Each structure stands twice: as C-alpha cells, then as structure tokens.
Amino acid sequence: MINVAVVQIRQYQTFARNSLQNQASIGVTMRIGITCYPTYGGSGIVATELGLELAQRGHEVHFISYANPIRLDPGTPGIFYHEVEVSNYPLFVYPPYTLALASRMAEVAERHQLDLLHVHYAIPHSISALLAQQMTTRRRLPFITTLHGTDITLVGTDRSYFPITKFSIERSDGITTISEFMRKRTADFFGIDKPIEVIHNFVNCALYKPDPAAQRQGKKRILHISNFRPVKRVLDCVRALALVRKEVDAELVMAGDGPDRSPAERLAYELGIASHVRFLGKQDHMERLIPQMHALHLPSETEAFGLAALEAMACGVPPVATNTGGVPDLITNGADGYLEPVGDVEAQARRLIELLSDETLHTRLARAARATAESRFNTELIIPRYEAYYRAVMQANGTYRSAAVSN
Ligand code: GMT
C-alpha cells in the first residue's frame, strides 16, 4: 500500500514539473485543514499566507490551532478558524496539547468533510495529524507534513524527539520542504526513502514591492528580522553595525522579539552605538517596513530557506546573509545579494558598507533581487504547486475522486 503511494507520488513529481500550468487551471476546489504555530515565526507565516491564497482561489481552508495565526483575519471569505482548547487539570504538569489538537483535527475533519490535513512544522503537528487520521473512520483523511527548518535541524535531532519525528514523517501521506538542503538533510539524517517534494517559500510581489521615495529619506538603514533565537546570531548584527559605522552613518533596525533581544541591547550599549539601533519588537506589517530599508542582514547559524531575505528581495532590499543551509537556493552571491561565512562579521560588514555607499551597486543588486523574487518565488508560481501536490496525494490515497465529486 505504502509502496504504491510512493510510486504514485514519484510519477506525480515528473508530471507536475511538465504540466504545472495545466494542473492549476483544472481548478477543483478542496477542503483543507491547516495546522501551524500561530505565533511570529516563518513556518506560521508561510502556513497562514498559503491558507489565505488558497481561500482566494476558491478552496475552503480550516485553520486548527491554539490561537488565531497572527497574519490571519478570520473574517476572510473561505477561511475558518477552529481553536484547540487544552484543559489545565492540576495532574497535568505538561498539558497534552498534542492530544487535544488530534481530537480537534478529527472533529473538524468529520464535521467539515475535509479532504486533507496540511501541517506545518513536524513537532508535534505531524503526530497529531496521524492520530486524527486514525480517528477518522468515515473516509481516509490524508495528511501532508511540511518541514520548515528547526523542526529538523534543531528539534528533530534532540534524542527525545528523534524517533517520533522520524515516525511521523514516514507515516505522512505527503512530505514537502522548503529547500533542497532541507530535503537532503531530512532524507540523510532520518533515513527517509519516501519522496520529499521541495516547494520553496513564496512572496506576494504585489504586496511586497520597492518604495524608492521612502529609501531616499533619512540616513542609511540596515534591517534585521527574526525571532531573536540563538540560531539567528543577532549579536552579529550589532557587531557588524559597529564596523559599518566607521565608514557610513547607518542605523540598525531590529524587527521581532525573542531571547537574544536583551543581550543585543546590552551589546549595543557596550559598543557605544545604542542610539543607532532601534528595537521595534514584533511587527504586523512587514510590507510597510521593509521597503524603507537599504539592506537586510541575516547572519544566521543555519537557515532552512530565509523567508525574511525573500520578502526583502521582493522590496528591492538586497540581503547580506550567511552561506548556510538553504539560503543559496534563494540568493545568488554577488548577483542579487551576498553570502558570507557564518560568524565572519568583518566580511558581512564589508558587504553592508559596499551596499550602503555605492549607489550604482545598490541599484543593480536591488533590481536583481526584485527580479529573483518575481521570477522564481512569486505567489502565483508557488501556490499552484501546493494545489497540484494536494491533488497528487489525494489521488495516491484514492480520495481525489470523492473530493472532486463533492465540490
Ligand atoms: O527561525 C524562524 O524564523 C522560524 C522558523 C519556523 O519554522 O517557524 O523558520 C523556518 O521556516 C521559515 C519558513 O519556511 C524559513 O524561511 C526559515 O529559514 C526557517 N528558519 C530556520 O531554519 C532557522
């Protein structure tokens, strides 16, 4: 049974590459359950934007999570939000969210006749989906797991999570991830021999766009966006600014929040540049903030793709990032941004200085960055790939006909 599904998904991969356009235009609508972390973070943002785009294309999208995802307006036509409530009985030192989520998934799937579940970030969403599938008896409920990064690179490699992560990935009816690096890493590390589909992060280029007038105002600005976890190396942003300021009157704008915010604030004081670093905290409208910037600094230890860099590129803001993980899937060094070694703050600062002081160079990279976003990662190109993949997974599970008929 599993082998048949594997063969069918492999056939799909060839088919999908040849006929994406046709597949998108067939236009069978689906009822899709999406689960993600609703807080600030790349995987939740991708899941939310995907759901919104799918709803716009006529699909019915049900978000199942413990809170309304930050970028989601639940009043949007075609979007439904189902909250997961976790009871806090005194016996529960650790409230069993995974189980409450599985129950809610099964309930929503039955009640709304979902065609499939799509979970973002393996832990614990994938195992909840597997349980929900087993609880759903009236018809088969396929589920797809999308691996976003730290669910594999950090969390999945924790000994206590390794076996369950491997198990839930292997039992997924479809597996996607966001870069070639992630595909290889997952396959090698977990010994997964099922096909893993690479579907890159995407950006809405109509919403995220350059604003040259805003860039002309005030001093030069370097932007950093993240959840300020150690993997993001935010202190490198502050150290790099100290070097940049020796040559250019620039400021650093830090968007987001997390454990390394206070250490970064402290370092800025120690280096005497605190008045040139603005900490904005969590931001809801990145499409308004990013176009005002002149460069993005993403010095991560590892990065599965780098959604923040893609959003910046769409706005004509060239990224200076680290040559790590899946970032080379996105940035072509020297053409539409720069890639420098992890921890080499001097090299990163040199690139930032070049971008902020050479107008001709900046314009060339800004245009190329925008062109990359438009030609390779625009929403219009990537969403049809998810639609096609959903259909292939349903076909492999023998549920596609019923989905088509019921709509
Ligand atoms: O580190 C984050 O920004 C959050 C993390 C997540 O899973 O929520 O982001 C990951 O997923 C993003 C969206 O697919 C990717 O663009 C990021 O590269 C990835 N982060 C890391 O791998 C560190």
Side-chain angles (χ1 to χ4, degrees):
M1 173 74 179
I2 287 176
N3 281 343
V4 173
V6 168
V7 169
Q8 282 177 307
I9 290 180
R10 286 214 167 103
Q11 285 169 344
Y12 148 76
Q13 291 183 315
T14 317
F15 174 62
R17 264 173 222 119
N18 297 337
S19 60
L20 255 185
Q21 278 314 109
N22 294 342
Q23 293 214 9
S25 65
I26 291 171
V28 171
T29 60
M30 294 168 260
R31 288 184 286 259
I32 303 146
I34 292 185
T35 288
C36 62
Y37 281 105
T39 48
Y40 289 79
S43 59
I45 289 167
V46 168
T48 307
E49 305 278 9
L50 171 63
L52 289 168
E53 294 288 342
L54 290 168
Q56 242 182 30
R57 291 167 165 262
H59 303 291
E60 195 176 294
V61 181
H62 295 259
F63 281 89
I64 309 164
S65 186
Y66 63 83
N68 189 66
I70 44 148
R71 288 194 190 177
L72 185 75
D73 174 358
T76 312
I79 295 285
F80 301 84
Y81 165 60
H82 309 273
E83 190 148 314
V84 179
E85 281 171 34
V86 192
S87 52
N88 210 1
Y89 188 65
L91 187 64
F92 300 154
V93 179
Y94 305 104
Y97 175 66
T98 307
L99 304 183
L101 175 61
S103 296
R104 194 77 167 119
M105 283 170 158
E107 181 189 287
V108 173
E110 296 269 14
R111 197 170 290 166
H112 297 274
Q113 295 285 294
L114 296 189
D115 295 314
L116 58 84
L117 291 172
H118 184 181
V119 302
H120 294 258
Y121 210 91
I123 303 166
H125 303 147
S126 193
I127 205 74
S128 299
L130 177 59
L131 286 172
Q133 179 181 74
Q134 291 175 1
M135 291 164 72
T136 311
T137 47
R138 266 192 241 148
R139 64 174 176 161
R140 184 163 168 81
L141 177 67
F143 74 97
I144 294 168
T145 301
T146 290
L147 308 164
H148 280 272
T150 49
D151 47 354
I152 298 302
T153 54
L154 295 180
V155 188
T157 55
D158 185 311
R159 275 200 64 77
S160 53
Y161 293 116
F162 182 90
I164 197 98
T165 308
K166 178 173 160 62
F167 179 69
S168 66
I169 294 171
E170 280 171 341
R171 292 300 176 96
S172 300
D173 298 292
I175 312 162
T176 82
T177 191
I178 57 168
S179 60
E180 184 49 35
F181 160 80
M182 279 289 293
R183 189 200 63 70
K184 197 166 175 339
R185 179 84 184 251
T186 309
D188 292 351
F189 192 79
F190 289 96
I192 308 277
D193 59 5
K194 288 174 80 171
I196 301 174
E197 183 75 358
V198 175
I199 305 182
H200 290 124
N201 285 174
F202 54 90
V203 65
N204 183 336
C205 288
L207 189 63
Y208 285 78
K209 52 183 194 293
D211 183 351
Q215 278 187 336
R216 278 194 291 273
Q217 288 161 22
K219 59 164 98 164
K220 299 291 183 191
R221 293 173 289 274
I222 301 165
L223 177 65
H224 174 76
I225 311 170
S226 79
N227 46 25
F228 287 59
R229 284 183 288 163
V231 70
K232 299 293 180 180
R233 296 183 66 100
V234 293
L235 300 187
D236 286 0
C237 295
V238 179
R239 290 191 189 104
L241 180 75
L243 297 176
V244 169
R245 283 196 54 77
K246 291 182 180 165
E247 312 264 336
V248 186
D249 180 19
E251 68 170 351
L252 174 64
V253 179
M254 303 285 261
D257 210 340
D260 278 351
R261 177 175 168 163
S262 296
E265 282 176 331
R266 243 190 337 269
L267 181 63
Y269 275 103
E270 283 164 17
L271 296 177
I273 54 170
S275 60
H276 303 289
V277 186
R278 277 194 284 147
F279 290 88
L280 303 183
K282 292 170 181 168
Q283 295 293 305
D284 280 339
H285 289 283
M286 297 310 302
E287 77 281 3
R288 294 181 198 159
L289 178 72
I290 300 172
Q292 303 170 26
M293 304 294 144
H294 298 91
L296 179 98
H297 191 190
L298 190 67
S300 308
E301 182 79 35
T302 179
E303 197 66 63
F305 181 82
L307 178 63
L310 173 58
E311 291 179 341
M313 290 166 80
C315 296
V317 176
V320 174
T322 36
N323 193 359
T324 181
V327 185
D329 274 24
L330 169 64
I331 299 172
T332 305
N333 188 30
D336 51 18
Y338 288 114
L339 296 172
E340 294 295 346
V342 174
D344 192 342
V345 177
E346 279 183 23
Q348 295 161 27
R350 261 198 312 277
R351 293 305 190 185
L352 288 165
I353 291 167
E354 281 169 27
L355 279 172
L356 301 184
S357 54
D358 183 340
E359 205 63 46
T360 313
L361 176 81
H362 186 273
T363 305
R364 177 165 66 76
L365 263 74
R367 285 194 184 139
R370 169 76 186 173
T372 296
E374 277 182 314
S375 62
R376 295 180 53 211
F377 304 105
N378 199 352
T379 309
E380 304 299 318
L381 301 170
I382 305 291
I383 304 301
R385 296 206 46 209
Y386 276 111
E387 288 175 298
Y389 191 71
Y390 289 169
R391 280 219 313 282
V393 167
M394 286 197 285
Q395 266 156 358
N397 280 272
T399 58
Y400 179 61
R401 243 168 66 83
S402 58
V405 167
S406 64
N407 281 288

